[in-house]
Amino acid sequence: MNAAHSADLRDRARPGHVTASGTAHTGGGADVITRAPSVALATHPPGRSDRSKAEFPLRTDVVTADMEEEEAAGGERGLSLAVWTVCAVAIPVLITLWCSLRRSRRRSLASDGEHCWQDTDLFGRPTYCSVCEEHILRGAYCLCCGLCADEPCVWRASKRFRCKVMGRGEAPVGGGLGHHWVRGNVPLCSQCMVCGQQCGSQPKLCDYRCIWCQRTVHDDCVEGDVKTENCDLGEFRNLIIPSNYLWAIKQLKRSKSVDYMKLISSMGSNWTPLIVLANTRSGNNMGEVLVSEFKGLLNPLQVFDLSKTSPYKALQLCTLLPPNSAKVLVCGGDGTVGWVLDAVDEMKIKGQENFIPQVAVLPLGTGNDLANTLGWGAGYAGDVPVEQILRNVMEADSVKLDRWKVQVTNKGYSLRKPKVLSMNNYFSIGPDALMALNFHTHREKTPSLFSSRLVNKAVYFFYGTKDCLIQECKDLDKKVELELDGEKISLPNLEGIVVLNIGYWGGGCRLWEGMGDEPYPLSRHDDGLLEVVGVYGSFHCAQIQVKLANPVRLGQAHTVRLILKSSRMPMQVDGEPWAQGPCTVTITHKTHAPMLYHVGEQTDDDEDPSSDSDQDPQDAVNPGLEI
């Protein structure tokens, strides 16, 4: 008996042993009960077969129920996953639509008044509403007067507070304007004009700021004579066009009851009003920020967005100012500067020579070679305050810039007129024009990807590296003929030719002077001469830019003639590229443009012996220039 019981225990201990009750033993630990109907029927004693047959349908039903439960659970999991996916997609879309509706409602509320409201989702500094005086994180602010308001208070702020009086006469002709005080949100570290103590130090809406002269005053100090005294327009009075002046000019055109000479003398002899022309699409897209800041410091009527107003229409403001007194600050790249200078030439054609302004440049583009030549730097990145930019304009010196006519005549008989372009910087044919053409083509397709100066230069580098391998412009010397002042020039094995008017090329490289011991003088931009150089390819261009090689200097001339005999080659004028078939390109002098040169900005390429000597700033740029 004991032996039989021990054998039965051993059989139970074996893994996979099936007992007489239809259960299987897995061995090694707790028993796991599994249903095995077929095995149970095979091992049942003969006397229990009927009972097993009766139990078999019941076990099958249990298995079917378990499978249905698993399918139902899987369906619920799939449904919940679909719900979560829909929510993940729909919630951001709904939030975006909600924010868009809020912004559109704020714009509609702000369009009723005279303020130029700009909505923001987060102020960059502690800000208080000018209506309810509560601390606000988001809302709207006026681009012209700096008034801030919460979203529900924008409409009330438009009705309660006046903006800058831009063209209405609040003061008699020859008289001064009164201060226009705006309470609260004064600039950090500002001082009271009465007591000299710091303003805006309390965490609430306090103290006042004049939106014309930018002076600040405490709440306790604003009473008395300060509130009624005239405003002298502050540090930039010589650049601001007062509203009473524009009002007097309108009256003069209507009734001629205003003495024009008396009006001019009342503005002072040093009055050189500034007109700001900003291209909000240039380079790093900083134009919108600059437009806002310039409107806050100057009369908003002096500031123009070139995406909304053409340069010629904006420059008609010069005709309302004293002759030869206006200055223009162009915020954009070299292409924007050329656009403005073309408008200046149009003014000359229409008999407005006495109102031609002097042009300064704030570089926002990618290359900015003209701005670099005129001392305004290789690119503006927001590191210089707008106030300092205005000071630089006031201190800048007057210089002249040669402008050239580029005429492209197609080979053979053609009904089309010759293509005529204006050149300020340079003309080129070859690898650098090919890089510019590829860049321009892709930027036209996807302009949103080319909003960064660094990205733009990286794209130029990519196309330059590609051309080093493909060499699409090889054997240029066999395809073109070059004449300088009527003399034919023998060309070496080149891939590109560059005709220079200014000192810089390719984003900050002094191409004509080069490097090494060769004593080549600085090129000048007002001598009526063009410098002509050649390059061996894209790799040679890269070597020149890092000062490892010199260009092939072909000569200087007053007139340049280039004949493209065969093939189709890339060409560019001031960064505007195109693909050109057989033709004749003739470059002749067109006119001079009055420009402003700033002596404070220099790049590393300006390190030459002439910079160490005690020269006049104008002589440092143009040696030998008679003053």
Side-chain angles (χ1 to χ4, degrees):
M1 185 65 179
N2 292 334
H5 182 67
S6 299
D8 184 61
L9 291 175
R10 285 195 301 271
D11 293 338
R12 290 173 178 270
R14 290 200 305 269
H17 171 71
V18 181
T19 65
S21 61
T23 61
H25 193 278
T26 60
D31 292 341
V32 179
I33 306 300
T34 60
R35 303 185 183 277
S38 60
V39 178
L41 287 173
T43 57
H44 282 167
R48 301 181 61 184
S49 59
D50 296 337
R51 181 181 175 185
S52 299
K53 290 179 180 179
E55 291 178 353
F56 179 75
L58 296 175
R59 291 170 182 165
T60 305
D61 294 341
V62 172
V63 174
T64 304
D66 291 344
M67 293 177 63
E68 291 177 353
E69 290 178 0
E70 291 179 359
E71 291 178 357
E76 292 178 357
R77 286 195 297 269
L79 180 61
S80 62
L81 180 60
V83 171
W84 280 108
T85 303
V86 171
C87 292
V89 174
I91 290 177
V93 174
L94 293 176
I95 293 176
T96 303
L97 292 175
W98 179 73
C99 293
S100 300
L101 290 175
R102 289 172 63 89
R103 289 194 183 98
S104 62
R105 188 172 67 174
R106 280 187 286 190
R107 291 192 184 101
S108 63
L109 288 174
S111 60
D112 295 336
E114 60 183 5
H115 292 275
C116 186
W117 293 107
Q118 176 69 42
D119 60 282
T120 178
D121 292 325
L122 181 64
F123 286 101
R125 45 166 289 186
T127 306
Y128 299 88
C129 178
S130 299
V131 179
C132 64
E133 302 186 7
E134 296 291 335
H135 180 265
I136 55 176
L137 294 177
R138 67 185 183 202
Y141 63 94
C142 179
L143 299 177
C144 302
C145 65
L147 194 70
C148 300
D150 195 6
E151 181 182 351
C153 302
V154 170
W155 186 82
R156 286 187 291 169
S158 299
K159 299 298 182 181
R160 183 182 302 181
F161 301 103
R162 298 187 61 187
C163 192
K164 274 187 175 180
V165 181
M166 295 178 285
R168 287 175 286 180
E170 285 194 333
V173 178
L177 285 171
H179 287 290
H180 187 154
W181 299 107
V182 173
R183 189 164 185 255
N185 303 310
V186 300
L188 299 176
C189 302
S190 55
Q191 294 183 344
C192 177
M193 61 179 292
V194 177
C195 65
Q197 300 297 320
Q198 183 177 352
C199 291
S201 57
Q202 302 181 31
K204 64 178 183 179
L205 189 75
C206 62
D207 304 334
Y208 290 87
R209 175 181 62 90
C210 177
I211 59 178
W212 286 107
C213 65
Q214 309 302 322
R215 293 188 177 94
T216 56
V217 62
H218 288 121
D219 291 331
D220 299 334
C221 300
V222 76
E223 302 297 333
D225 297 337
V226 176
K227 212 164 188 176
T228 58
E229 70 180 7
N230 288 333
C231 177
D232 62 357
L233 302 180
E235 179 183 4
F236 306 114
R237 64 179 67 89
N238 290 330
L239 301 179
I240 297 175
I241 303 177
S243 58
N244 59 344
Y245 174 85
L246 296 177
W247 179 83
I249 291 295
K250 291 180 181 179
Q251 296 298 318
L252 179 64
K253 288 187 174 182
R254 291 177 182 176
S255 61
K256 298 184 179 181
S257 60
V258 179
D259 188 350
Y260 181 72
M261 297 307 299
K262 182 180 179 180
L263 176 63
I264 295 300
S265 61
S266 66
M267 304 308 301
S269 58
N270 296 324
W271 187 49
T272 54
L274 178 68
I275 299 174
V276 179
L277 306 179
N279 188 351
T280 56
R281 300 176 182 175
S282 291
N284 286 347
N285 293 329
M286 297 189 62
E288 294 182 358
V289 178
L290 291 171
V291 166
S292 172
E293 296 185 1
F294 281 122
K295 283 185 176 181
L297 294 174
L298 306 173
N299 190 330
L301 291 179
Q302 300 175 240
V303 184
F304 297 90
D305 184 353
L306 293 182
S307 64
K308 302 176 182 178
T309 307
S310 66
Y312 178 77
K313 186 175 180 180
L315 290 177
Q316 291 306 299
L317 182 58
C318 297
T319 60
L320 303 180
L321 303 173
N324 302 319
S325 65
K327 295 181 178 180
V328 169
L329 176 62
V330 181
C331 305
D334 290 344
T336 305
V337 178
W339 190 17
V340 173
L341 293 182
D342 288 340
V344 171
D345 290 343
E346 189 175 354
M347 292 178 64
K348 294 179 181 178
I349 294 174
K350 296 186 177 181
Q352 300 174 347
E353 297 91 347
N354 295 331
F355 302 99
I356 298 300
Q358 297 174 322
V359 181
V361 183
L362 183 61
L364 300 182
T366 302
N368 303 312
D369 292 308
L370 180 57
N372 217 354
T373 300
L374 297 174
W376 296 100
Y380 178 74
D383 50 341
V384 180
V386 175
E387 293 84 357
Q388 184 59 44
I389 296 173
L390 295 178
R391 297 186 191 103
N392 294 341
V393 172
M394 290 191 294
E395 298 169 358
D397 299 323
S398 299
V399 295
K400 290 184 178 181
L401 174 70
D402 287 327
R403 302 198 72 216
W404 300 83
K405 174 184 176 182
V406 180
Q407 181 171 317
V408 182
T409 306
N410 292 325
K411 188 176 181 181
Y413 179 77
S414 177
L415 297 177
R416 295 182 179 180
K417 294 182 179 180
K419 185 176 184 178
V420 179
L421 303 169
S422 296
M423 186 186 82
N424 304 313
N425 300 359
Y426 40 74
F427 163 86
S428 68
I429 177 174
D432 63 327
L434 178 62
M435 287 185 284
L437 180 60
N438 290 330
F439 175 84
H440 180 77
T441 301
H442 284 79
R443 184 172 63 176
E444 289 295 319
K445 293 180 180 179
T446 55
S448 59
L449 299 179
F450 297 87
S451 59
S452 169
R453 187 181 294 121
L454 182 62
V455 171
N456 295 349
K457 290 187 177 182
V459 174
Y460 268 105
F461 175 77
F462 168 77
Y463 285 121
T465 305
K466 177 183 175 182
D467 187 64
C468 289
L469 303 176
I470 300 178
Q471 294 182 337
E472 297 184 26
C473 303
K474 62 181 179 181
D475 298 329
L476 180 67
D477 54 303
K478 300 177 182 178
K479 302 175 183 177
V480 302
E481 293 180 0
L482 178 65
E483 296 180 4
L484 301 182
D485 290 336
E487 181 181 352
K488 187 174 181 180
I489 303 299
S490 177
L491 298 176
N493 186 15
L494 300 174
E495 286 191 22
I497 296 175
V498 183
V499 182
L500 297 163
N501 178 48
I502 60 177
Y504 287 94
W505 165 86
C509 172
R510 283 193 173 275
L511 188 61
W512 177 253
E513 289 81 9
M515 48 80 65
D517 299 330
E518 300 181 34
Y520 273 83
L522 295 174
S523 59
R524 294 169 51 180
H525 49 73
D526 66 339
D527 58 354
L529 284 174
L530 294 169
E531 288 76 32
V532 185
V533 300
V535 293
Y536 293 120
S538 297
F539 186 71
H540 187 208
C541 293
Q543 288 180 309
I544 294 172
Q545 289 188 330
V546 297
K547 300 181 179 180
L548 293 179
N550 283 323
V552 180
R553 298 179 180 89
L554 301 175
Q556 293 177 300
H558 297 87
T559 302
V560 176
R561 191 166 180 258
L562 186 144
I563 303 172
L564 179 60
K565 297 181 292 184
S566 62
S567 183
R568 190 174 182 87
M569 297 293 293
M571 297 182 181
Q572 71 156 338
V573 173
D574 294 349
E576 298 297 328
W578 74 95
Q580 179 65 47
C583 66
T584 300
V585 180
T586 306
I587 305 177
T588 56
H589 192 269
K590 180 181 179 182
T591 184
H592 286 98
M595 307 295 291
L596 290 173
Y597 173 77
H598 178 229
V599 297
E601 289 287 344
Q602 282 189 342
T603 63
D604 295 337
D605 291 331
D606 289 331
E607 296 176 359
D608 53 70
S610 63
S611 62
D612 298 331
S613 59
D614 296 332
Q615 293 185 7
D616 185 83
Q618 182 133 347
D619 292 336
V621 185
N622 302 320
L625 179 64
E626 296 182 2
I627 301 178

